[in-house]
Amino acid sequence: MAGIEITALHKRYPDGTVAVERVDLSIRDGELFVMLGPSGCGKTTTLRAVAGLERQTSGDIRIGDTLVNDLPPAERDIAMVFQFYALYPHLRTRDNLAFPLRAEGLPETEVRARVAEAARMLQLEKLLDRRPARLSGGEQQRVALARALVRRPRAFLMDEPLTNLDAELRADMRTEIKHLQAQLGTTMVHVTHDQVEAMSLGHRIAILNKGRLEQVGTPLEVYNRPASLFCAAFIGSPPMNLLEVEVSEGALRTSGGLAILPPPDAPRGRPLVAGVRPEALEVVAAGEAGAVPARVVSAEALGDEIIYVVSSGGRDLRVRMPPTSRFAPDAPVGVRHTGGPPPVYDPTSEELVA
Ligand code: ATP
């Protein structure tokens, strides 16, 4: 087992595209670390550089105490699991699992013991004699995971391994990966563009945008205090309302008059952007105390909650309400802030200021 230390990693492709820009990451030994960001932000390039499949332009990568910049993938002692399962179609599960071990020249008794152990951990015992064509997508992905596992690598690198699975299977596999990682205690770096996956899996999450690192934090840190407007708009479903405000009469106020509890250190006398979660707002009957007038634009009933979009002061606000709330589209209502002080951003630098 080993931590992974990435220092000033920079990758410029021959056509001039800068995919990763001086990224520093310190992934702890035994951590389930998620790299999250939209398509093209540089996640895969970073992971491939760690795996040794892509050579960085500059910067250092250490796995444990070893500087691996010049080591070929096979000597880095890590296992990579991809979005596409990459199983050998002509081999049965047991031989797909045994393949990397036989390639290493391990004695057959050891190979059998390790295959049996991995099959047990991923509940593949009944599938050991099937070929990939007779396995479902979820089962194939479990075999791919088991094949990474048998090698007992120092770290696992997972590149969107759940993308091809349907929603229910994805949720199951998330639980399985989390459980597996906790059992093994092996460092795991998991790449995804799906923020729900990142939040539910990661001990910590790194958010990347256009090759740059925007934030590293626990799921709650990232949710409660996004480090930049990019992170604020990216994390959460639906995401935060980003409201232009100024400090006035003890509150953050929008031009529509909505009053928001201010953080104590919110700078005065200049425009700010408040990141207000949909659950920190409330739709109420028109005219209620502390509410500004609004109109219901839409109501999305999701079973356990209703997401309202209300229009107030010339802009739309997303509000999360209990399923019992009843406000009809087009109804005149009120909206007010009920949460604690929100994170506040500078509109120019787009960084968190309070
Ligand atoms: P996705 O989720 O779509 O895989 P990603 O975050 O993993 O995206 P990368 O695949 O790392 O992003 O790509 C980062 C940037 O580098 C993108 O702009 C991409 O177009 C570019 N890129 C990737 N590979 C190459 C290449 N071989 N040559 C030139 N540019 C590349």
Side-chain angles (χ1 to χ4, degrees), residues 210-233:
K210 296 184 187 148
R212 298 211 190 115
L213 185 62
E214 296 261 343
Q215 183 168 16
V216 180
T218 64
L220 275 186
E221 282 164 1
V222 162
Y223 189 81
N224 290 331
R225 284 187 70 74
S228 63
L229 281 178
F230 173 82
C231 299

mmCIF file with all atom_site columns, all heavy atoms in Angstrom, residues 210-233:
data_model
loop_
_atom_site.group_PDB
_atom_site.id
_atom_site.type_symbol
_atom_site.label_atom_id
_atom_site.label_alt_id
_atom_site.label_comp_id
_atom_site.label_asym_id
_atom_site.label_entity_id
_atom_site.label_seq_id
_atom_site.pdbx_PDB_ins_code
_atom_site.Cartn_x
_atom_site.Cartn_y
_atom_site.Cartn_z
_atom_site.occupancy
_atom_site.B_iso_or_equiv
_atom_site.pdbx_formal_charge
_atom_site.auth_seq_id
_atom_site.auth_comp_id
_atom_site.auth_asym_id
_atom_site.auth_atom_id
_atom_site.pdbx_PDB_model_num
ATOM 1   N N   . LYS A 1 210 ? -10.703 22.655 -16.480 1.00 0.00 ? 210 LYS A N   1
ATOM 2   C CA  . LYS A 1 210 ? -9.769  23.081 -17.525 1.00 0.00 ? 210 LYS A CA  1
ATOM 3   C C   . LYS A 1 210 ? -8.321  22.837 -17.121 1.00 0.00 ? 210 LYS A C   1
ATOM 4   O O   . LYS A 1 210 ? -7.469  23.728 -17.245 1.00 0.00 ? 210 LYS A O   1
ATOM 5   C CB  . LYS A 1 210 ? -9.974  24.558 -17.843 1.00 0.00 ? 210 LYS A CB  1
ATOM 6   C CG  . LYS A 1 210 ? -11.339 24.846 -18.433 1.00 0.00 ? 210 LYS A CG  1
ATOM 7   C CD  . LYS A 1 210 ? -11.448 26.304 -18.830 1.00 0.00 ? 210 LYS A CD  1
ATOM 8   C CE  . LYS A 1 210 ? -12.854 26.653 -19.262 1.00 0.00 ? 210 LYS A CE  1
ATOM 9   N NZ  . LYS A 1 210 ? -13.223 28.024 -18.957 1.00 0.00 ? 210 LYS A NZ  1
ATOM 10  N N   . GLY A 1 211 ? -8.053  21.663 -16.597 1.00 0.00 ? 211 GLY A N   1
ATOM 11  C CA  . GLY A 1 211 ? -6.682  21.290 -16.260 1.00 0.00 ? 211 GLY A CA  1
ATOM 12  C C   . GLY A 1 211 ? -6.182  21.838 -14.951 1.00 0.00 ? 211 GLY A C   1
ATOM 13  O O   . GLY A 1 211 ? -5.066  21.528 -14.534 1.00 0.00 ? 211 GLY A O   1
ATOM 14  N N   . ARG A 1 212 ? -6.996  22.667 -14.277 1.00 0.00 ? 212 ARG A N   1
ATOM 15  C CA  . ARG A 1 212 ? -6.537  23.255 -13.015 1.00 0.00 ? 212 ARG A CA  1
ATOM 16  C C   . ARG A 1 212 ? -7.300  22.655 -11.845 1.00 0.00 ? 212 ARG A C   1
ATOM 17  O O   . ARG A 1 212 ? -8.470  22.326 -11.962 1.00 0.00 ? 212 ARG A O   1
ATOM 18  C CB  . ARG A 1 212 ? -6.793  24.763 -12.996 1.00 0.00 ? 212 ARG A CB  1
ATOM 19  C CG  . ARG A 1 212 ? -6.048  25.472 -14.056 1.00 0.00 ? 212 ARG A CG  1
ATOM 20  C CD  . ARG A 1 212 ? -5.683  26.890 -13.590 1.00 0.00 ? 212 ARG A CD  1
ATOM 21  N NE  . ARG A 1 212 ? -5.184  27.613 -14.747 1.00 0.00 ? 212 ARG A NE  1
ATOM 22  C CZ  . ARG A 1 212 ? -5.773  28.659 -15.276 1.00 0.00 ? 212 ARG A CZ  1
ATOM 23  N NH1 . ARG A 1 212 ? -6.884  29.133 -14.741 1.00 0.00 ? 212 ARG A NH1 1
ATOM 24  N NH2 . ARG A 1 212 ? -5.267  29.241 -16.333 1.00 0.00 ? 212 ARG A NH2 1
ATOM 25  N N   . LEU A 1 213 ? -6.593  22.574 -10.718 1.00 0.00 ? 213 LEU A N   1
ATOM 26  C CA  . LEU A 1 213 ? -7.211  22.080 -9.500  1.00 0.00 ? 213 LEU A CA  1
ATOM 27  C C   . LEU A 1 213 ? -7.978  23.222 -8.847  1.00 0.00 ? 213 LEU A C   1
ATOM 28  O O   . LEU A 1 213 ? -7.410  24.267 -8.549  1.00 0.00 ? 213 LEU A O   1
ATOM 29  C CB  . LEU A 1 213 ? -6.100  21.583 -8.567  1.00 0.00 ? 213 LEU A CB  1
ATOM 30  C CG  . LEU A 1 213 ? -6.557  20.914 -7.289  1.00 0.00 ? 213 LEU A CG  1
ATOM 31  C CD1 . LEU A 1 213 ? -7.352  19.657 -7.590  1.00 0.00 ? 213 LEU A CD1 1
ATOM 32  C CD2 . LEU A 1 213 ? -5.347  20.580 -6.429  1.00 0.00 ? 213 LEU A CD2 1
ATOM 33  N N   . GLU A 1 214 ? -9.289  23.013 -8.625  1.00 0.00 ? 214 GLU A N   1
ATOM 34  C CA  . GLU A 1 214 ? -10.102 24.082 -8.026  1.00 0.00 ? 214 GLU A CA  1
ATOM 35  C C   . GLU A 1 214 ? -10.257 23.897 -6.523  1.00 0.00 ? 214 GLU A C   1
ATOM 36  O O   . GLU A 1 214 ? -10.348 24.861 -5.783  1.00 0.00 ? 214 GLU A O   1
ATOM 37  C CB  . GLU A 1 214 ? -11.496 24.104 -8.660  1.00 0.00 ? 214 GLU A CB  1
ATOM 38  C CG  . GLU A 1 214 ? -11.506 24.441 -10.134 1.00 0.00 ? 214 GLU A CG  1
ATOM 39  C CD  . GLU A 1 214 ? -11.841 25.903 -10.402 1.00 0.00 ? 214 GLU A CD  1
ATOM 40  O OE1 . GLU A 1 214 ? -12.377 26.579 -9.511  1.00 0.00 ? 214 GLU A OE1 1
ATOM 41  O OE2 . GLU A 1 214 ? -11.541 26.359 -11.518 1.00 0.00 ? 214 GLU A OE2 1
ATOM 42  N N   . GLN A 1 215 ? -10.354 22.640 -6.080  1.00 0.00 ? 215 GLN A N   1
ATOM 43  C CA  . GLN A 1 215 ? -10.584 22.395 -4.652  1.00 0.00 ? 215 GLN A CA  1
ATOM 44  C C   . GLN A 1 215 ? -10.278 20.953 -4.309  1.00 0.00 ? 215 GLN A C   1
ATOM 45  O O   . GLN A 1 215 ? -10.494 20.062 -5.131  1.00 0.00 ? 215 GLN A O   1
ATOM 46  C CB  . GLN A 1 215 ? -12.059 22.687 -4.301  1.00 0.00 ? 215 GLN A CB  1
ATOM 47  C CG  . GLN A 1 215 ? -12.378 22.527 -2.825  1.00 0.00 ? 215 GLN A CG  1
ATOM 48  C CD  . GLN A 1 215 ? -13.734 23.095 -2.440  1.00 0.00 ? 215 GLN A CD  1
ATOM 49  O OE1 . GLN A 1 215 ? -14.576 23.344 -3.294  1.00 0.00 ? 215 GLN A OE1 1
ATOM 50  N NE2 . GLN A 1 215 ? -13.949 23.290 -1.145  1.00 0.00 ? 215 GLN A NE2 1
ATOM 51  N N   . VAL A 1 216 ? -9.772  20.734 -3.098  1.00 0.00 ? 216 VAL A N   1
ATOM 52  C CA  . VAL A 1 216 ? -9.669  19.379 -2.549  1.00 0.00 ? 216 VAL A CA  1
ATOM 53  C C   . VAL A 1 216 ? -10.327 19.423 -1.184  1.00 0.00 ? 216 VAL A C   1
ATOM 54  O O   . VAL A 1 216 ? -10.043 20.311 -0.385  1.00 0.00 ? 216 VAL A O   1
ATOM 55  C CB  . VAL A 1 216 ? -8.200  18.935 -2.364  1.00 0.00 ? 216 VAL A CB  1
ATOM 56  C CG1 . VAL A 1 216 ? -8.147  17.511 -1.798  1.00 0.00 ? 216 VAL A CG1 1
ATOM 57  C CG2 . VAL A 1 216 ? -7.440  18.990 -3.671  1.00 0.00 ? 216 VAL A CG2 1
ATOM 58  N N   . GLY A 1 217 ? -11.220 18.485 -0.926  1.00 0.00 ? 217 GLY A N   1
ATOM 59  C CA  . GLY A 1 217 ? -11.862 18.477 0.391   1.00 0.00 ? 217 GLY A CA  1
ATOM 60  C C   . GLY A 1 217 ? -12.728 17.251 0.574   1.00 0.00 ? 217 GLY A C   1
ATOM 61  O O   . GLY A 1 217 ? -12.940 16.477 -0.367  1.00 0.00 ? 217 GLY A O   1
ATOM 62  N N   . THR A 1 218 ? -13.223 17.064 1.787   1.00 0.00 ? 218 THR A N   1
ATOM 63  C CA  . THR A 1 218 ? -14.163 15.972 2.041   1.00 0.00 ? 218 THR A CA  1
ATOM 64  C C   . THR A 1 218 ? -15.467 16.325 1.312   1.00 0.00 ? 218 THR A C   1
ATOM 65  O O   . THR A 1 218 ? -15.696 17.514 0.989   1.00 0.00 ? 218 THR A O   1
ATOM 66  C CB  . THR A 1 218 ? -14.465 15.832 3.547   1.00 0.00 ? 218 THR A CB  1
ATOM 67  O OG1 . THR A 1 218 ? -15.118 17.036 3.982   1.00 0.00 ? 218 THR A OG1 1
ATOM 68  C CG2 . THR A 1 218 ? -13.196 15.621 4.357   1.00 0.00 ? 218 THR A CG2 1
ATOM 69  N N   . PRO A 1 219 ? -16.336 15.328 1.085   1.00 0.00 ? 219 PRO A N   1
ATOM 70  C CA  . PRO A 1 219 ? -17.601 15.646 0.417   1.00 0.00 ? 219 PRO A CA  1
ATOM 71  C C   . PRO A 1 219 ? -18.354 16.783 1.103   1.00 0.00 ? 219 PRO A C   1
ATOM 72  O O   . PRO A 1 219 ? -18.870 17.682 0.437   1.00 0.00 ? 219 PRO A O   1
ATOM 73  C CB  . PRO A 1 219 ? -18.372 14.321 0.476   1.00 0.00 ? 219 PRO A CB  1
ATOM 74  C CG  . PRO A 1 219 ? -17.304 13.278 0.476   1.00 0.00 ? 219 PRO A CG  1
ATOM 75  C CD  . PRO A 1 219 ? -16.167 13.865 1.267   1.00 0.00 ? 219 PRO A CD  1
ATOM 76  N N   . LEU A 1 220 ? -18.378 16.780 2.430   1.00 0.00 ? 220 LEU A N   1
ATOM 77  C CA  . LEU A 1 220 ? -19.123 17.836 3.128   1.00 0.00 ? 220 LEU A CA  1
ATOM 78  C C   . LEU A 1 220 ? -18.464 19.199 2.988   1.00 0.00 ? 220 LEU A C   1
ATOM 79  O O   . LEU A 1 220 ? -19.144 20.216 2.819   1.00 0.00 ? 220 LEU A O   1
ATOM 80  C CB  . LEU A 1 220 ? -19.288 17.492 4.610   1.00 0.00 ? 220 LEU A CB  1
ATOM 81  C CG  . LEU A 1 220 ? -20.485 16.600 4.925   1.00 0.00 ? 220 LEU A CG  1
ATOM 82  C CD1 . LEU A 1 220 ? -20.653 16.440 6.424   1.00 0.00 ? 220 LEU A CD1 1
ATOM 83  C CD2 . LEU A 1 220 ? -21.786 17.155 4.312   1.00 0.00 ? 220 LEU A CD2 1
ATOM 84  N N   . GLU A 1 221 ? -17.130 19.227 3.055   1.00 0.00 ? 221 GLU A N   1
ATOM 85  C CA  . GLU A 1 221 ? -16.423 20.510 2.873   1.00 0.00 ? 221 GLU A CA  1
ATOM 86  C C   . GLU A 1 221 ? -16.722 21.088 1.491   1.00 0.00 ? 221 GLU A C   1
ATOM 87  O O   . GLU A 1 221 ? -16.994 22.277 1.332   1.00 0.00 ? 221 GLU A O   1
ATOM 88  C CB  . GLU A 1 221 ? -14.910 20.316 3.008   1.00 0.00 ? 221 GLU A CB  1
ATOM 89  C CG  . GLU A 1 221 ? -14.438 20.206 4.442   1.00 0.00 ? 221 GLU A CG  1
ATOM 90  C CD  . GLU A 1 221 ? -13.023 19.638 4.581   1.00 0.00 ? 221 GLU A CD  1
ATOM 91  O OE1 . GLU A 1 221 ? -12.371 19.332 3.558   1.00 0.00 ? 221 GLU A OE1 1
ATOM 92  O OE2 . GLU A 1 221 ? -12.591 19.495 5.716   1.00 0.00 ? 221 GLU A OE2 1
ATOM 93  N N   . VAL A 1 222 ? -16.676 20.210 0.508   1.00 0.00 ? 222 VAL A N   1
ATOM 94  C CA  . VAL A 1 222 ? -16.888 20.651 -0.865  1.00 0.00 ? 222 VAL A CA  1
ATOM 95  C C   . VAL A 1 222 ? -18.341 21.100 -1.061  1.00 0.00 ? 222 VAL A C   1
ATOM 96  O O   . VAL A 1 222 ? -18.618 22.053 -1.779  1.00 0.00 ? 222 VAL A O   1
ATOM 97  C CB  . VAL A 1 222 ? -16.502 19.477 -1.813  1.00 0.00 ? 222 VAL A CB  1
ATOM 98  C CG1 . VAL A 1 222 ? -17.078 19.650 -3.175  1.00 0.00 ? 222 VAL A CG1 1
ATOM 99  C CG2 . VAL A 1 222 ? -14.997 19.316 -1.860  1.00 0.00 ? 222 VAL A CG2 1
ATOM 100 N N   . TYR A 1 223 ? -19.256 20.419 -0.377  1.00 0.00 ? 223 TYR A N   1
ATOM 101 C CA  . TYR A 1 223 ? -20.671 20.770 -0.508  1.00 0.00 ? 223 TYR A CA  1
ATOM 102 C C   . TYR A 1 223 ? -20.980 22.070 0.229   1.00 0.00 ? 223 TYR A C   1
ATOM 103 O O   . TYR A 1 223 ? -21.668 22.943 -0.292  1.00 0.00 ? 223 TYR A O   1
ATOM 104 C CB  . TYR A 1 223 ? -21.539 19.634 0.064   1.00 0.00 ? 223 TYR A CB  1
ATOM 105 C CG  . TYR A 1 223 ? -23.009 19.810 -0.219  1.00 0.00 ? 223 TYR A CG  1
ATOM 106 C CD1 . TYR A 1 223 ? -23.545 19.442 -1.451  1.00 0.00 ? 223 TYR A CD1 1
ATOM 107 C CD2 . TYR A 1 223 ? -23.864 20.354 0.736   1.00 0.00 ? 223 TYR A CD2 1
ATOM 108 C CE1 . TYR A 1 223 ? -24.888 19.610 -1.723  1.00 0.00 ? 223 TYR A CE1 1
ATOM 109 C CE2 . TYR A 1 223 ? -25.212 20.524 0.469   1.00 0.00 ? 223 TYR A CE2 1
ATOM 110 C CZ  . TYR A 1 223 ? -25.722 20.150 -0.761  1.00 0.00 ? 223 TYR A CZ  1
ATOM 111 O OH  . TYR A 1 223 ? -27.050 20.319 -1.038  1.00 0.00 ? 223 TYR A OH  1
ATOM 112 N N   . ASN A 1 224 ? -20.446 22.194 1.425   1.00 0.00 ? 224 ASN A N   1
ATOM 113 C CA  . ASN A 1 224 ? -20.805 23.349 2.256   1.00 0.00 ? 224 ASN A CA  1
ATOM 114 C C   . ASN A 1 224 ? -20.040 24.604 1.899   1.00 0.00 ? 224 ASN A C   1
ATOM 115 O O   . ASN A 1 224 ? -20.557 25.704 2.018   1.00 0.00 ? 224 ASN A O   1
ATOM 116 C CB  . ASN A 1 224 ? -20.588 23.036 3.738   1.00 0.00 ? 224 ASN A CB  1
ATOM 117 C CG  . ASN A 1 224 ? -21.603 22.023 4.242   1.00 0.00 ? 224 ASN A CG  1
ATOM 118 O OD1 . ASN A 1 224 ? -22.713 21.957 3.722   1.00 0.00 ? 224 ASN A OD1 1
ATOM 119 N ND2 . ASN A 1 224 ? -21.229 21.226 5.215   1.00 0.00 ? 224 ASN A ND2 1
ATOM 120 N N   . ARG A 1 225 ? -18.786 24.446 1.490   1.00 0.00 ? 225 ARG A N   1
ATOM 121 C CA  . ARG A 1 225 ? -17.976 25.627 1.170   1.00 0.00 ? 225 ARG A CA  1
ATOM 122 C C   . ARG A 1 225 ? -17.199 25.424 -0.123  1.00 0.00 ? 225 ARG A C   1
ATOM 123 O O   . ARG A 1 225 ? -15.967 25.247 -0.112  1.00 0.00 ? 225 ARG A O   1
ATOM 124 C CB  . ARG A 1 225 ? -17.015 25.933 2.332   1.00 0.00 ? 225 ARG A CB  1
ATOM 125 C CG  . ARG A 1 225 ? -17.753 26.587 3.507   1.00 0.00 ? 225 ARG A CG  1
ATOM 126 C CD  . ARG A 1 225 ? -16.823 27.043 4.592   1.00 0.00 ? 225 ARG A CD  1
ATOM 127 N NE  . ARG A 1 225 ? -15.991 28.187 4.257   1.00 0.00 ? 225 ARG A NE  1
ATOM 128 C CZ  . ARG A 1 225 ? -16.429 29.430 4.170   1.00 0.00 ? 225 ARG A CZ  1
ATOM 129 N NH1 . ARG A 1 225 ? -17.698 29.705 4.334   1.00 0.00 ? 225 ARG A NH1 1
ATOM 130 N NH2 . ARG A 1 225 ? -15.598 30.409 3.897   1.00 0.00 ? 225 ARG A NH2 1
ATOM 131 N N   . PRO A 1 226 ? -17.896 25.443 -1.260  1.00 0.00 ? 226 PRO A N   1
ATOM 132 C CA  . PRO A 1 226 ? -17.191 25.321 -2.534  1.00 0.00 ? 226 PRO A CA  1
ATOM 133 C C   . PRO A 1 226 ? -16.153 26.449 -2.645  1.00 0.00 ? 226 PRO A C   1
ATOM 134 O O   . PRO A 1 226 ? -16.445 27.597 -2.295  1.00 0.00 ? 226 PRO A O   1
ATOM 135 C CB  . PRO A 1 226 ? -18.294 25.482 -3.582  1.00 0.00 ? 226 PRO A CB  1
ATOM 136 C CG  . PRO A 1 226 ? -19.575 25.215 -2.862  1.00 0.00 ? 226 PRO A CG  1
ATOM 137 C CD  . PRO A 1 226 ? -19.346 25.608 -1.433  1.00 0.00 ? 226 PRO A CD  1
ATOM 138 N N   . ALA A 1 227 ? -14.943 26.106 -3.104  1.00 0.00 ? 227 ALA A N   1
ATOM 139 C CA  . ALA A 1 227 ? -13.833 27.068 -3.065  1.00 0.00 ? 227 ALA A CA  1
ATOM 140 C C   . ALA A 1 227 ? -13.912 28.127 -4.158  1.00 0.00 ? 227 ALA A C   1
ATOM 141 O O   . ALA A 1 227 ? -13.201 29.118 -4.108  1.00 0.00 ? 227 ALA A O   1
ATOM 142 C CB  . ALA A 1 227 ? -12.518 26.313 -3.173  1.00 0.00 ? 227 ALA A CB  1
ATOM 143 N N   . SER A 1 228 ? -14.754 27.901 -5.151  1.00 0.00 ? 228 SER A N   1
ATOM 144 C CA  . SER A 1 228 ? -14.835 28.862 -6.261  1.00 0.00 ? 228 SER A CA  1
ATOM 145 C C   . SER A 1 228 ? -16.244 28.816 -6.845  1.00 0.00 ? 228 SER A C   1
ATOM 146 O O   . SER A 1 228 ? -17.012 27.889 -6.567  1.00 0.00 ? 228 SER A O   1
ATOM 147 C CB  . SER A 1 228 ? -13.830 28.479 -7.347  1.00 0.00 ? 228 SER A CB  1
ATOM 148 O OG  . SER A 1 228 ? -14.176 27.208 -7.876  1.00 0.00 ? 228 SER A OG  1
ATOM 149 N N   . LEU A 1 229 ? -16.554 29.797 -7.679  1.00 0.00 ? 229 LEU A N   1
ATOM 150 C CA  . LEU A 1 229 ? -17.882 29.795 -8.316  1.00 0.00 ? 229 LEU A CA  1
ATOM 151 C C   . LEU A 1 229 ? -18.056 28.572 -9.200  1.00 0.00 ? 229 LEU A C   1
ATOM 152 O O   . LEU A 1 229 ? -19.149 28.033 -9.335  1.00 0.00 ? 229 LEU A O   1
ATOM 153 C CB  . LEU A 1 229 ? -18.073 31.075 -9.142  1.00 0.00 ? 229 LEU A CB  1
ATOM 154 C CG  . LEU A 1 229 ? -18.431 32.321 -8.329  1.00 0.00 ? 229 LEU A CG  1
ATOM 155 C CD1 . LEU A 1 229 ? -18.544 33.535 -9.251  1.00 0.00 ? 229 LEU A CD1 1
ATOM 156 C CD2 . LEU A 1 229 ? -19.745 32.111 -7.575  1.00 0.00 ? 229 LEU A CD2 1
ATOM 157 N N   . PHE A 1 230 ? -16.932 28.108 -9.808  1.00 0.00 ? 230 PHE A N   1
ATOM 158 C CA  . PHE A 1 230 ? -17.025 26.899 -10.631 1.00 0.00 ? 230 PHE A CA  1
ATOM 159 C C   . PHE A 1 230 ? -17.511 25.729 -9.772  1.00 0.00 ? 230 PHE A C   1
ATOM 160 O O   . PHE A 1 230 ? -18.443 25.008 -10.148 1.00 0.00 ? 230 PHE A O   1
ATOM 161 C CB  . PHE A 1 230 ? -15.667 26.564 -11.273 1.00 0.00 ? 230 PHE A CB  1
ATOM 162 C CG  . PHE A 1 230 ? -15.702 25.251 -11.985 1.00 0.00 ? 230 PHE A CG  1
ATOM 163 C CD1 . PHE A 1 230 ? -16.212 25.173 -13.272 1.00 0.00 ? 230 PHE A CD1 1
ATOM 164 C CD2 . PHE A 1 230 ? -15.295 24.089 -11.346 1.00 0.00 ? 230 PHE A CD2 1
ATOM 165 C CE1 . PHE A 1 230 ? -16.303 23.950 -13.916 1.00 0.00 ? 230 PHE A CE1 1
ATOM 166 C CE2 . PHE A 1 230 ? -15.387 22.862 -11.981 1.00 0.00 ? 230 PHE A CE2 1
ATOM 167 C CZ  . PHE A 1 230 ? -15.882 22.797 -13.277 1.00 0.00 ? 230 PHE A CZ  1
ATOM 168 N N   . CYS A 1 231 ? -16.870 25.525 -8.613  1.00 0.00 ? 231 CYS A N   1
ATOM 169 C CA  . CYS A 1 231 ? -17.264 24.410 -7.735  1.00 0.00 ? 231 CYS A CA  1
ATOM 170 C C   . CYS A 1 231 ? -18.694 24.606 -7.234  1.00 0.00 ? 231 CYS A C   1
ATOM 171 O O   . CYS A 1 231 ? -19.460 23.650 -7.127  1.00 0.00 ? 231 CYS A O   1
ATOM 172 C CB  . CYS A 1 231 ? -16.322 24.292 -6.543  1.00 0.00 ? 231 CYS A CB  1
ATOM 173 S SG  . CYS A 1 231 ? -14.621 23.969 -7.002  1.00 0.00 ? 231 CYS A SG  1
ATOM 174 N N   . ALA A 1 232 ? -19.039 25.851 -6.934  1.00 0.00 ? 232 ALA A N   1
ATOM 175 C CA  . ALA A 1 232 ? -20.381 26.146 -6.424  1.00 0.00 ? 232 ALA A CA  1
ATOM 176 C C   . ALA A 1 232 ? -21.436 25.759 -7.450  1.00 0.00 ? 232 ALA A C   1
ATOM 177 O O   . ALA A 1 232 ? -22.495 25.241 -7.110  1.00 0.00 ? 232 ALA A O   1
ATOM 178 C CB  . ALA A 1 232 ? -20.490 27.627 -6.088  1.00 0.00 ? 232 ALA A CB  1
ATOM 179 N N   . ALA A 1 233 ? -21.135 25.984 -8.724  1.00 0.00 ? 233 ALA A N   1
ATOM 180 C CA  . ALA A 1 233 ? -22.108 25.674 -9.770  1.00 0.00 ? 233 ALA A CA  1
ATOM 181 C C   . ALA A 1 233 ? -22.090 24.183 -10.130 1.00 0.00 ? 233 ALA A C   1
ATOM 182 O O   . ALA A 1 233 ? -23.037 23.676 -10.706 1.00 0.00 ? 233 ALA A O   1
ATOM 183 C CB  . ALA A 1 233 ? -21.812 26.514 -11.016 1.00 0.00 ? 233 ALA A CB  1
#
